[in-house]
Amino acid sequence: MIRINAEPHAGREEDGHSFQSSNIQRPAIVISNNAYNQKTRFVICMLLAHDLKKDNRGLYYRLADISSGISGSVVTFQMPNYDFSGRNGKIVGHVSDKDLDNLLSKAYQILDKR
């Protein structure tokens, strides 16, 4: 679990932060593996919306991390690739193996070519 500068956003992309108050850091779940992250210095993420989205299509995944104080709905249908250090990324917590497996399963469903 990280916080990263996700600005700029455009169109229907989730924003969920306040650019006007200089709050441009977004919580996100890193779904790329360590080998990819180290080799490229990029991370593939799923961002979190602060509110709990009502969702009957399975596009959001509710998540809470007590140690970091981050909770909300993971946006599983947007998987941006960010320069971790260029966007001032910071590791702030960890998700359970079960939650990560569920999020990766959603990513595979989107990327499946069938």
Side-chain angles (χ1 to χ4, degrees):
M1 188 172 280
I2 64 171
R3 284 197 171 273
I4 197 159
N5 175 353
E7 280 295 328
H9 66 275
R12 294 181 38 225
E13 297 171 352
E14 293 285 339
D15 56 1
H17 57 282
S18 173
F19 186 72
Q20 291 78 15
S21 66
S22 298
N23 177 19
I24 58 175
Q25 291 282 308
R26 290 287 310 275
I29 306 301
V30 175
I31 61 170
S32 50
N33 63 33
N34 287 338
Y36 175 85
N37 300 343
Q38 290 171 357
K39 185 174 185 176
T40 65
R41 305 280 191 228
F42 279 72
V43 290
I44 301 171
C45 303
M46 290 179 173
L47 297 172
L48 272 86
H50 294 287
D51 54 344
L52 295 176
K53 301 281 188 182
K54 292 182 181 177
D55 175 32
N56 60 359
R57 296 179 294 164
L59 298 176
Y60 296 92
Y61 183 84
R62 290 183 177 190
L63 186 75
D65 178 53
I66 295 170
S67 65
S68 68
I70 294 174
S71 65
S73 298
V74 180
V75 183
T76 65
F77 57 93
Q78 294 177 2
M79 294 171 268
N81 194 17
Y82 289 126
D83 180 327
F84 185 76
S85 103
R87 288 185 172 266
N88 299 313
K90 295 174 182 55
I91 298 170
V92 295
H94 299 280
V95 297
S96 71
D97 288 342
K98 178 184 174 188
D99 286 329
L100 184 58
D101 286 345
N102 286 333
L103 292 170
L104 289 173
S105 175
K106 290 188 175 291
Y108 293 143
Q109 289 171 16
I110 289 170
L111 300 172
D112 188 4
K113 64 182 181 177
R114 288 180 267 167

